[in-house]
Amino acid sequence: MDAIIKNLVDKISSYDIFNNLFPGIIFCIVVERTTRITFYTGEIWESLFFYYFVGMILSRIGSIYVEKFLRSIKVYNKETHKKEEFLKFAPYSDYIEASEANPFITILNETNNTYRTIVAMLITIIGVKLYDWLLYDLINTAQIAVRNFLFLLICLLLIMLFIHSYKKQTNYIRSRVKKYVKSKQTEVK
């Protein structure tokens, strides 16, 4: 059993820990302590996998919705007297090239993604707290049909979230492949 645990721990990256596991644990603890909702299953392994999954959902919310929202914000620049993007990203091809030359950029990006996940976690905690505060009593006294509808709605929202995540990751992989193929064609010439 120790060998299995060691093998599993060796395969978990710092990215997985800081963007999936820790936010999932923090989210579940805060929600359990501030609402009537509980997540603990009684089994440590079940709980860890559940926390990881919750963290993965939070990370996807951050990647798809929080980042998109923050990129859409325009702020006034006092020096140029123009509105500019709140978040400015380097062109992706430049990021790939720079991160290959300087691996520290990848670490900085992981940290950046952790911040984005924490923002998503805090927004989601507020949403869950509002649900608990405003709707829990209404839904708790409603018929079984309402509970079933709510369950199906949550499932559909998760499906949409992971479809968007899958599309974003596919585009990411495609752009990496495109960059590689382009660099190989340049070497041949």
Side-chain angles (χ1 to χ4, degrees):
M1 183 68 162
D2 289 339
I4 294 171
I5 292 171
K6 184 181 179 340
N7 190 22
L8 186 61
V9 169
D10 289 343
K11 290 184 179 182
I12 297 175
S13 69
S14 64
Y15 185 87
D16 286 325
I17 292 170
F18 291 111
N19 280 290
N20 296 328
L21 187 58
F22 285 163
I25 291 170
I26 292 167
F27 175 84
C28 290
I29 289 171
V30 170
V31 167
E32 283 186 344
R33 291 191 180 167
T34 61
T35 69
R36 293 170 266 202
I37 300 168
T38 60
F39 299 110
Y40 185 68
T41 64
E43 296 291 327
I44 189 71
W45 288 108
E46 279 182 26
S47 294
L48 284 174
F49 283 111
F50 182 76
Y51 296 153
Y52 182 87
F53 182 69
V54 168
M56 190 168 52
I57 291 170
L58 294 170
S59 178
R60 296 302 81 214
I61 290 170
S63 176
I64 293 170
Y65 299 110
V66 171
E67 181 178 304
K68 185 176 184 177
F69 172 74
L70 293 175
R71 288 182 86 161
S72 71
I73 294 174
K74 304 287 186 205
V75 294
Y76 181 74
N77 183 325
K78 291 179 185 178
E79 294 174 12
T80 64
H81 303 289
K82 294 180 182 180
K83 285 195 169 192
E84 296 179 356
E85 296 174 329
F86 176 70
L87 285 180
K88 297 177 188 175
F89 284 78
Y92 186 68
S93 58
D94 293 347
Y95 168 77
I96 293 170
E97 191 175 322
S99 63
E100 288 171 353
N102 183 353
F104 186 64
I105 293 172
T106 305
I107 295 168
L108 293 173
N109 191 48
E110 283 184 20
T111 304
N112 201 37
N113 290 344
T114 300
Y115 298 153
R116 184 186 64 205
T117 300
I118 290 170
V119 170
M121 177 191 71
L122 294 170
I123 291 169
T124 307
I125 286 172
I126 290 169
V128 171
K129 181 62 179 171
L130 287 172
Y131 163 80
D132 180 64
W133 182 39
L134 299 173
L135 299 176
Y136 187 86
D137 292 326
L138 294 173
I139 291 173
N140 209 20
T141 59
Q143 298 174 3
I144 293 173
V146 173
R147 288 189 202 121
N148 287 337
F149 176 76
L150 183 62
F151 174 77
L152 291 174
L153 181 64
I154 290 169
C155 288
L156 287 172
L157 290 173
L158 288 173
I159 289 168
M160 288 172 25
L161 177 69
F162 281 96
I163 286 171
H164 284 291
S165 298
Y166 181 64
K167 183 179 187 301
K168 184 177 180 179
Q169 192 70 8
T170 301
N171 290 340
Y172 173 78
I173 293 166
R174 189 182 64 231
S175 65
R176 293 288 303 233
V177 170
K178 185 178 177 182
K179 168 102 171 129
Y180 175 78
V181 169
K182 189 176 179 180
S183 71
K184 286 305 224 182
Q185 290 172 346
T186 305
E187 287 177 11
V188 171
K189 291 179 183 181

